[in-house]
PDB file of all heavy atoms in Angstrom:
ATOM      1  N   ALA B 211     -28.646  -1.881 -29.861  1.00 92.00           N
ATOM      2  CA  ALA B 211     -27.634  -2.311 -30.843  1.00 92.00           C
ATOM      3  C   ALA B 211     -28.076  -1.939 -32.254  1.00 92.00           C
ATOM      4  O   ALA B 211     -27.295  -1.444 -33.064  1.00 92.00           O
ATOM      5  CB  ALA B 211     -27.415  -3.815 -30.729  1.00 92.00           C
ATOM      6  N   ARG B 212     -29.340  -2.160 -32.524  1.00 91.00           N
ATOM      7  CA  ARG B 212     -29.862  -1.888 -33.865  1.00 91.00           C
ATOM      8  C   ARG B 212     -29.842  -0.391 -34.166  1.00 91.00           C
ATOM      9  O   ARG B 212     -29.478   0.040 -35.262  1.00 91.00           O
ATOM     10  CB  ARG B 212     -31.293  -2.418 -33.953  1.00 91.00           C
ATOM     11  CG  ARG B 212     -31.875  -2.234 -35.322  1.00 91.00           C
ATOM     12  CD  ARG B 212     -33.145  -3.003 -35.469  1.00 91.00           C
ATOM     13  NE  ARG B 212     -33.615  -2.843 -36.843  1.00 91.00           N
ATOM     14  CZ  ARG B 212     -34.676  -3.448 -37.310  1.00 91.00           C
ATOM     15  NH1 ARG B 212     -35.382  -4.249 -36.549  1.00 91.00           N
ATOM     16  NH2 ARG B 212     -35.040  -3.250 -38.564  1.00 91.00           N
ATOM     17  N   GLU B 213     -30.192   0.396 -33.145  1.00 90.00           N
ATOM     18  CA  GLU B 213     -30.303   1.836 -33.330  1.00 90.00           C
ATOM     19  C   GLU B 213     -28.939   2.501 -33.483  1.00 90.00           C
ATOM     20  O   GLU B 213     -28.754   3.414 -34.287  1.00 90.00           O
ATOM     21  CB  GLU B 213     -31.035   2.409 -32.102  1.00 90.00           C
ATOM     22  CG  GLU B 213     -31.242   3.887 -32.115  1.00 90.00           C
ATOM     23  CD  GLU B 213     -31.816   4.371 -30.779  1.00 90.00           C
ATOM     24  OE1 GLU B 213     -32.109   3.526 -29.903  1.00 90.00           O
ATOM     25  OE2 GLU B 213     -31.955   5.579 -30.628  1.00 90.00           O
ATOM     26  N   ILE B 214     -27.960   2.028 -32.704  1.00 91.00           N
ATOM     27  CA  ILE B 214     -26.715   2.785 -32.587  1.00 91.00           C
ATOM     28  C   ILE B 214     -25.620   2.335 -33.558  1.00 91.00           C
ATOM     29  O   ILE B 214     -24.775   3.129 -33.958  1.00 91.00           O
ATOM     30  CB  ILE B 214     -26.184   2.724 -31.122  1.00 91.00           C
ATOM     31  CG1 ILE B 214     -25.070   3.753 -30.897  1.00 91.00           C
ATOM     32  CG2 ILE B 214     -25.695   1.347 -30.768  1.00 91.00           C
ATOM     33  CD1 ILE B 214     -24.559   3.780 -29.486  1.00 91.00           C
ATOM     34  N   SER B 215     -25.617   1.023 -33.933  1.00 93.00           N
ATOM     35  CA  SER B 215     -24.395   0.523 -34.562  1.00 93.00           C
ATOM     36  C   SER B 215     -24.343   0.701 -36.073  1.00 93.00           C
ATOM     37  O   SER B 215     -25.377   0.777 -36.749  1.00 93.00           O
ATOM     38  CB  SER B 215     -24.164  -0.937 -34.173  1.00 93.00           C
ATOM     39  OG  SER B 215     -25.342  -1.666 -34.318  1.00 93.00           O
ATOM     40  N   ASP B 216     -23.122   0.787 -36.585  1.00 94.00           N
ATOM     41  CA  ASP B 216     -22.893   0.777 -38.026  1.00 94.00           C
ATOM     42  C   ASP B 216     -22.827  -0.655 -38.528  1.00 94.00           C
ATOM     43  O   ASP B 216     -23.181  -0.953 -39.657  1.00 94.00           O
ATOM     44  CB  ASP B 216     -21.572   1.495 -38.339  1.00 94.00           C
ATOM     45  CG  ASP B 216     -21.616   2.946 -37.902  1.00 94.00           C
ATOM     46  OD1 ASP B 216     -22.594   3.639 -38.247  1.00 94.00           O
ATOM     47  OD2 ASP B 216     -20.692   3.369 -37.176  1.00 94.00           O
ATOM     48  N   ARG B 217     -22.293  -1.528 -37.671  1.00 94.00           N
ATOM     49  CA  ARG B 217     -22.204  -2.950 -38.021  1.00 94.00           C
ATOM     50  C   ARG B 217     -22.515  -3.776 -36.791  1.00 94.00           C
ATOM     51  O   ARG B 217     -22.197  -3.388 -35.661  1.00 94.00           O
ATOM     52  CB  ARG B 217     -20.783  -3.304 -38.481  1.00 94.00           C
ATOM     53  CG  ARG B 217     -20.546  -3.208 -39.953  1.00 94.00           C
ATOM     54  CD  ARG B 217     -19.155  -3.702 -40.298  1.00 94.00           C
ATOM     55  NE  ARG B 217     -19.157  -5.069 -40.804  1.00 94.00           N
ATOM     56  CZ  ARG B 217     -19.605  -5.399 -42.024  1.00 94.00           C
ATOM     57  NH1 ARG B 217     -20.083  -4.471 -42.825  1.00 94.00           N
ATOM     58  NH2 ARG B 217     -19.572  -6.656 -42.425  1.00 94.00           N
ATOM     59  N   VAL B 218     -23.154  -4.922 -36.996  1.00 94.00           N
ATOM     60  CA  VAL B 218     -23.440  -5.842 -35.900  1.00 94.00           C
ATOM     61  C   VAL B 218     -22.746  -7.168 -36.200  1.00 94.00           C
ATOM     62  O   VAL B 218     -22.744  -7.632 -37.340  1.00 94.00           O
ATOM     63  CB  VAL B 218     -24.966  -6.071 -35.751  1.00 94.00           C
ATOM     64  CG1 VAL B 218     -25.240  -7.135 -34.692  1.00 94.00           C
ATOM     65  CG2 VAL B 218     -25.665  -4.774 -35.392  1.00 94.00           C
ATOM     66  N   TYR B 219     -22.093  -7.705 -35.180  1.00 95.00           N
ATOM     67  CA  TYR B 219     -21.441  -9.017 -35.299  1.00 95.00           C
ATOM     68  C   TYR B 219     -22.185  -9.987 -34.411  1.00 95.00           C
ATOM     69  O   TYR B 219     -22.371  -9.722 -33.221  1.00 95.00           O
ATOM     70  CB  TYR B 219     -19.969  -8.944 -34.855  1.00 95.00           C
ATOM     71  CG  TYR B 219     -19.085  -8.173 -35.804  1.00 95.00           C
ATOM     72  CD1 TYR B 219     -19.109  -6.780 -35.837  1.00 95.00           C
ATOM     73  CD2 TYR B 219     -18.216  -8.834 -36.676  1.00 95.00           C
ATOM     74  CE1 TYR B 219     -18.303  -6.067 -36.712  1.00 95.00           C
ATOM     75  CE2 TYR B 219     -17.396  -8.142 -37.546  1.00 95.00           C
ATOM     76  CZ  TYR B 219     -17.446  -6.748 -37.556  1.00 95.00           C
ATOM     77  OH  TYR B 219     -16.653  -6.056 -38.424  1.00 95.00           O
ATOM     78  N   PHE B 220     -22.593 -11.127 -34.975  1.00 94.00           N
ATOM     79  CA  PHE B 220     -23.216 -12.158 -34.151  1.00 94.00           C
ATOM     80  C   PHE B 220     -22.196 -13.264 -33.897  1.00 94.00           C
ATOM     81  O   PHE B 220     -21.638 -13.834 -34.851  1.00 94.00           O
ATOM     82  CB  PHE B 220     -24.460 -12.731 -34.844  1.00 94.00           C
ATOM     83  CG  PHE B 220     -25.050 -13.890 -34.108  1.00 94.00           C
ATOM     84  CD1 PHE B 220     -25.745 -13.696 -32.919  1.00 94.00           C
ATOM     85  CD2 PHE B 220     -24.886 -15.203 -34.572  1.00 94.00           C
ATOM     86  CE1 PHE B 220     -26.270 -14.771 -32.214  1.00 94.00           C
ATOM     87  CE2 PHE B 220     -25.403 -16.283 -33.861  1.00 94.00           C
ATOM     88  CZ  PHE B 220     -26.097 -16.067 -32.685  1.00 94.00           C
ATOM     89  N   THR B 221     -21.928 -13.532 -32.614  1.00 93.00           N
ATOM     90  CA  THR B 221     -20.937 -14.570 -32.282  1.00 93.00           C
ATOM     91  C   THR B 221     -21.629 -15.752 -31.605  1.00 93.00           C
ATOM     92  O   THR B 221     -22.605 -15.582 -30.880  1.00 93.00           O
ATOM     93  CB  THR B 221     -19.859 -14.060 -31.303  1.00 93.00           C
ATOM     94  OG1 THR B 221     -20.506 -13.640 -30.110  1.00 93.00           O
ATOM     95  CG2 THR B 221     -19.071 -12.922 -31.889  1.00 93.00           C
ATOM     96  N   ASP B 222     -21.085 -16.923 -31.869  1.00 92.00           N
ATOM     97  CA  ASP B 222     -21.569 -18.127 -31.194  1.00 92.00           C
ATOM     98  C   ASP B 222     -20.419 -19.124 -31.114  1.00 92.00           C
ATOM     99  O   ASP B 222     -19.706 -19.331 -32.099  1.00 92.00           O
ATOM    100  CB  ASP B 222     -22.764 -18.717 -31.969  1.00 92.00           C
ATOM    101  CG  ASP B 222     -23.479 -19.779 -31.145  1.00 92.00           C
ATOM    102  OD1 ASP B 222     -23.352 -19.754 -29.902  1.00 92.00           O
ATOM    103  OD2 ASP B 222     -24.170 -20.616 -31.748  1.00 92.00           O
ATOM    104  N   HIS B 223     -20.242 -19.712 -29.934  1.00 91.00           N
ATOM    105  CA  HIS B 223     -19.186 -20.705 -29.729  1.00 91.00           C
ATOM    106  C   HIS B 223     -17.820 -20.251 -30.234  1.00 91.00           C
ATOM    107  O   HIS B 223     -17.117 -21.001 -30.909  1.00 91.00           O
ATOM    108  CB  HIS B 223     -19.560 -22.042 -30.388  1.00 91.00           C
ATOM    109  CG  HIS B 223     -20.705 -22.699 -29.690  1.00 91.00           C
ATOM    110  ND1 HIS B 223     -22.000 -22.700 -30.187  1.00 91.00           N
ATOM    111  CD2 HIS B 223     -20.768 -23.339 -28.500  1.00 91.00           C
ATOM    112  CE1 HIS B 223     -22.790 -23.335 -29.338  1.00 91.00           C
ATOM    113  NE2 HIS B 223     -22.078 -23.728 -28.304  1.00 91.00           N
ATOM    114  N   GLY B 224     -17.477 -19.001 -29.936  1.00 91.00           N
ATOM    115  CA  GLY B 224     -16.136 -18.530 -30.237  1.00 91.00           C
ATOM    116  C   GLY B 224     -15.886 -18.150 -31.686  1.00 91.00           C
ATOM    117  O   GLY B 224     -14.735 -17.944 -32.073  1.00 91.00           O
ATOM    118  N   ARG B 225     -16.933 -18.091 -32.494  1.00 92.00           N
ATOM    119  CA  ARG B 225     -16.752 -17.689 -33.893  1.00 92.00           C
ATOM    120  C   ARG B 225     -17.729 -16.579 -34.231  1.00 92.00           C
ATOM    121  O   ARG B 225     -18.799 -16.486 -33.643  1.00 92.00           O
ATOM    122  CB  ARG B 225     -17.038 -18.875 -34.826  1.00 92.00           C
ATOM    123  CG  ARG B 225     -15.970 -19.930 -34.797  1.00 92.00           C
ATOM    124  CD  ARG B 225     -16.056 -20.831 -36.025  1.00 92.00           C
ATOM    125  NE  ARG B 225     -14.924 -21.747 -36.023  1.00 92.00           N
ATOM    126  CZ  ARG B 225     -14.936 -22.900 -35.359  1.00 92.00           C
ATOM    127  NH1 ARG B 225     -16.005 -23.266 -34.687  1.00 92.00           N
ATOM    128  NH2 ARG B 225     -13.877 -23.689 -35.371  1.00 92.00           N
ATOM    129  N   ILE B 226     -17.328 -15.750 -35.228  1.00 93.00           N
ATOM    130  CA  ILE B 226     -18.289 -14.782 -35.747  1.00 93.00           C
ATOM    131  C   ILE B 226     -19.104 -15.500 -36.812  1.00 93.00           C
ATOM    132  O   ILE B 226     -18.569 -15.950 -37.825  1.00 93.00           O
ATOM    133  CB  ILE B 226     -17.581 -13.534 -36.308  1.00 93.00           C
ATOM    134  CG1 ILE B 226     -16.973 -12.752 -35.133  1.00 93.00           C
ATOM    135  CG2 ILE B 226     -18.579 -12.668 -37.083  1.00 93.00           C
ATOM    136  CD1 ILE B 226     -16.128 -11.592 -35.536  1.00 93.00           C
ATOM    137  N   VAL B 227     -20.387 -15.648 -36.517  1.00 92.00           N
ATOM    138  CA  VAL B 227     -21.253 -16.416 -37.404  1.00 92.00           C
ATOM    139  C   VAL B 227     -21.692 -15.547 -38.576  1.00 92.00           C
ATOM    140  O   VAL B 227     -21.762 -15.986 -39.719  1.00 92.00           O
ATOM    141  CB  VAL B 227     -22.477 -16.930 -36.619  1.00 92.00           C
ATOM    142  CG1 VAL B 227     -23.472 -17.632 -37.534  1.00 92.00           C
ATOM    143  CG2 VAL B 227     -22.018 -17.863 -35.496  1.00 92.00           C
ATOM    144  N   GLU B 228     -21.964 -14.293 -38.266  1.00 92.00           N
ATOM    145  CA  GLU B 228     -22.557 -13.433 -39.279  1.00 92.00           C
ATOM    146  C   GLU B 228     -22.305 -11.984 -38.889  1.00 92.00           C
ATOM    147  O   GLU B 228     -22.290 -11.645 -37.704  1.00 92.00           O
ATOM    148  CB  GLU B 228     -24.074 -13.691 -39.285  1.00 92.00           C
ATOM    149  CG  GLU B 228     -24.796 -13.087 -40.458  1.00 92.00           C
ATOM    150  CD  GLU B 228     -26.246 -13.573 -40.536  1.00 92.00           C
ATOM    151  OE1 GLU B 228     -26.626 -14.482 -39.779  1.00 92.00           O
ATOM    152  OE2 GLU B 228     -26.973 -13.017 -41.365  1.00 92.00           O
ATOM    153  N   SER B 229     -22.082 -11.120 -39.873  1.00 93.00           N
ATOM    154  CA  SER B 229     -21.964  -9.698 -39.547  1.00 93.00           C
ATOM    155  C   SER B 229     -22.543  -8.881 -40.684  1.00 93.00           C
ATOM    156  O   SER B 229     -22.657  -9.361 -41.815  1.00 93.00           O
ATOM    157  CB  SER B 229     -20.499  -9.327 -39.329  1.00 93.00           C
ATOM    158  OG  SER B 229     -19.816  -9.292 -40.556  1.00 93.00           O
ATOM    159  N   GLY B 230     -22.926  -7.669 -40.363  1.00 92.00           N
ATOM    160  CA  GLY B 230     -23.494  -6.820 -41.401  1.00 92.00           C
ATOM    161  C   GLY B 230     -24.136  -5.596 -40.795  1.00 92.00           C
ATOM    162  O   GLY B 230     -24.090  -5.407 -39.578  1.00 92.00           O
ATOM    163  N   PRO B 231     -24.737  -4.751 -41.625  1.00 93.00           N
ATOM    164  CA  PRO B 231     -25.447  -3.580 -41.096  1.00 93.00           C
ATOM    165  C   PRO B 231     -26.607  -4.057 -40.223  1.00 93.00           C
ATOM    166  O   PRO B 231     -27.161  -5.127 -40.464  1.00 93.00           O
ATOM    167  CB  PRO B 231     -25.979  -2.886 -42.360  1.00 93.00           C
ATOM    168  CG  PRO B 231     -25.261  -3.514 -43.507  1.00 93.00           C
ATOM    169  CD  PRO B 231     -24.823  -4.869 -43.086  1.00 93.00           C
ATOM    170  N   PRO B 232     -26.959  -3.283 -39.197  1.00 93.00           N
ATOM    171  CA  PRO B 232     -27.969  -3.754 -38.241  1.00 93.00           C
ATOM    172  C   PRO B 232     -29.289  -4.168 -38.890  1.00 93.00           C
ATOM    173  O   PRO B 232     -29.852  -5.188 -38.502  1.00 93.00           O
ATOM    174  CB  PRO B 232     -28.147  -2.561 -37.299  1.00 93.00           C
ATOM    175  CG  PRO B 232     -27.422  -1.421 -37.905  1.00 93.00           C
ATOM    176  CD  PRO B 232     -26.395  -1.981 -38.812  1.00 93.00           C
ATOM    177  N   ASP B 233     -29.756  -3.397 -39.868  1.00 92.00           N
ATOM    178  CA  ASP B 233     -31.050  -3.756 -40.466  1.00 92.00           C
ATOM    179  C   ASP B 233     -31.004  -5.134 -41.098  1.00 92.00           C
ATOM    180  O   ASP B 233     -31.937  -5.925 -40.965  1.00 92.00           O
ATOM    181  CB  ASP B 233     -31.462  -2.707 -41.506  1.00 92.00           C
ATOM    182  CG  ASP B 233     -31.897  -1.412 -40.823  1.00 92.00           C
ATOM    183  OD1 ASP B 233     -32.185  -1.492 -39.601  1.00 92.00           O
ATOM    184  OD2 ASP B 233     -31.915  -0.356 -41.489  1.00 92.00           O
ATOM    185  N   ALA B 234     -29.878  -5.418 -41.779  1.00 91.00           N
ATOM    186  CA  ALA B 234     -29.741  -6.720 -42.432  1.00 91.00           C
ATOM    187  C   ALA B 234     -29.742  -7.842 -41.410  1.00 91.00           C
ATOM    188  O   ALA B 234     -30.434  -8.858 -41.575  1.00 91.00           O
ATOM    189  CB  ALA B 234     -28.451  -6.754 -43.266  1.00 91.00           C
ATOM    190  N   ILE B 235     -28.975  -7.648 -40.314  1.00 92.00           N
ATOM    191  CA  ILE B 235     -28.868  -8.702 -39.301  1.00 92.00           C
ATOM    192  C   ILE B 235     -30.210  -8.932 -38.611  1.00 92.00           C
ATOM    193  O   ILE B 235     -30.641 -10.062 -38.395  1.00 92.00           O
ATOM    194  CB  ILE B 235     -27.794  -8.335 -38.248  1.00 92.00           C
ATOM    195  CG1 ILE B 235     -26.404  -8.288 -38.878  1.00 92.00           C
ATOM    196  CG2 ILE B 235     -27.827  -9.316 -37.074  1.00 92.00           C
ATOM    197  CD1 ILE B 235     -25.781  -9.621 -39.180  1.00 92.00           C
TER     198      ILE B 235
END
Side-chain angles (χ1 to χ4, degrees):
Chain B
R212 183 168 183 177
E213 180 187 356
I214 193 178
S215 47
D216 298 310
R217 268 185 100 73
V218 175
Y219 290 76
F220 174 73
T221 60
D222 192 23
H223 292 103
R225 288 198 174 85
I226 291 174
V227 175
E228 192 170 352
S229 73
D233 287 342
I235 295 285

